[in-house]
Amino acid sequence: MTTSTSAPALYGGTSARRVTVRDIAAAKERGERWPMLTAYDALTARVFDEAGIPVLLVGDSAAMVVYGYDSTLPVSVDDLLPLTAAVARSTTRAMVVADLPFGAYQASPEQALEAAARFMKDGHANAVKLEGGRRMAPQVEALVSAGVPVMGHIGLTPQSVNALGGYRVQGRGDQGAEELLADAKELERAGAFSVVLECVPAELAARITAELSIPTVGIGAGPDTDAQVLVWQDMAGLSPRVAKFVKAYADLNSTLAGAAKSFAEEVVGGSFPDAEHSYS
């Protein structure tokens, strides 16, 4: 596909329409890097959309950061649907990608399509994401043939954490690297428009990125992927524990704690509400 060098950038673009898979593909051809963040509610989604973030992921990480579980496994389609709809309603430009939760797509392509259809119809998502490499190719093919854009996810796949033996780097060693590369190529062949590489050695992630025609999205996969994604609470310094690959760009934990304490002290001391914040 030939694209114009004057095509609008993904990050910070000002077009009024949604970012599409064609825009994502064009960015790959231009060699343009782009950011992706998670979002789970209307207010933060609006902030990120207005900041120019081109892709927002309603991740199954909501299990931890919204619902308080210790892994992604407990959340269901019903848990994630209202979050996806809230993000979609409050944004105008960002592509909204919905995570298919554990147990909603692994059984068969038919099950995957049923879950994806709910996210597209009721959640107003623009695409879905699912975990797994070659074994998920039939699901990807079924979704794409039905008109559902699919983002793949390989490497450390949190929904398989029990089978993987914990949160460990994936793709180390010659055999592991070749298997991960084969997974990425099969997802591309099946029709995925991009693929997340999580907790993958940087050299391997660079090799996969170079060998795929679709964009790679790194999270703990070094600097050479086409895009980078973080859970927004990790990025903003709100999460109490984070992985090695996380960089905090703010300290919202301290900011919110300070605001709560200031509010509490004024209530206890009787200075809030004052006349300015009262009706006459």
Side-chain angles (χ1 to χ4, degrees):
M1 180 174 64
T2 302
T3 58
S4 169
T5 56
S6 62
L10 277 185
Y11 167 63
T14 57
S15 68
R17 64 169 178 81
R18 292 275 182 188
V19 171
T20 70
V21 294
R22 289 174 60 86
D23 298 316
I24 299 295
K28 172 82 171 184
E29 291 192 5
R30 295 194 300 269
E32 177 191 336
R33 295 180 178 180
W34 46 276
M36 180 166 86
L37 285 171
T38 62
Y40 316 95
D41 67 90
L43 293 181
T44 51
R46 178 184 56 79
V47 170
F48 299 152
D49 192 44
E50 292 178 353
I53 303 299
V55 182
L56 295 177
L57 171 67
V58 186
D60 59 0
S61 47
M64 288 90 81
V65 299
V66 175
Y67 292 109
Y69 296 113
D70 60 3
S71 78
T72 64
L73 298 178
V75 289
S76 66
V77 170
D78 288 337
D79 291 328
L80 296 180
L81 266 178
L83 308 186
T84 305
V87 171
R89 282 193 297 266
S90 59
T91 56
T92 59
R93 180 176 179 270
M95 172 189 287
V96 178
V97 181
D99 244 340
L100 298 186
F102 178 71
Y105 62 94
Q106 289 91 345
S108 67
E110 293 75 19
Q111 184 196 36
L113 181 55
E114 181 180 355
R118 292 191 66 193
F119 278 109
M120 302 291 283
K121 289 165 65 71
D122 301 331
H124 305 288
N126 308 119
V128 301
K129 182 174 77 65
L130 55 76
E131 296 182 3
R134 285 161 285 179
R135 62 188 175 85
M136 285 295 114
Q139 278 85 332
V140 174
E141 289 178 326
L143 294 180
V144 173
S145 66
V148 180
V150 178
M151 176 179 286
H153 184 157
I154 58 175
L156 172 59
T157 47
Q159 292 177 11
S160 303
V161 64
N162 292 320
L164 295 174
Y167 296 95
R168 305 167 59 189
V169 175
Q170 301 296 305
R172 283 179 169 154
D174 291 343
Q175 181 178 351
E178 291 302 321
E179 289 182 354
L180 208 60
L181 178 60
D183 281 337
K185 288 185 174 180
E186 181 64 7
L187 289 173
E188 179 182 43
R189 184 207 62 76
F193 75 90
S194 62
V195 59
V196 173
L197 306 177
E198 181 167 358
C199 288
V200 173
E203 184 177 350
L204 174 59
R207 178 186 173 193
I208 293 173
T209 300
E211 294 197 23
L212 294 186
S213 62
I214 60 174
T216 57
V217 182
I219 178 166
D224 295 318
T225 54
D226 297 299
Q228 298 287 336
V229 62
L230 286 175
V231 172
W232 86 257
Q233 290 91 341
D234 294 349
M235 177 274 299
L238 190 60
S239 302
R241 296 182 302 277
V242 296
K244 174 184 178 180
F245 57 76
V246 171
K247 179 177 179 179
Y249 290 84
D251 184 10
L252 286 194
N253 188 72
S254 295
T255 299
L256 286 176
K261 289 177 181 178
S262 295
F263 163 70
E265 288 167 2
E266 289 193 4
V267 169
V268 171
S271 60
F272 178 83
D274 54 14
E276 181 182 356
H277 298 95
S278 300
Y279 294 105
S280 57

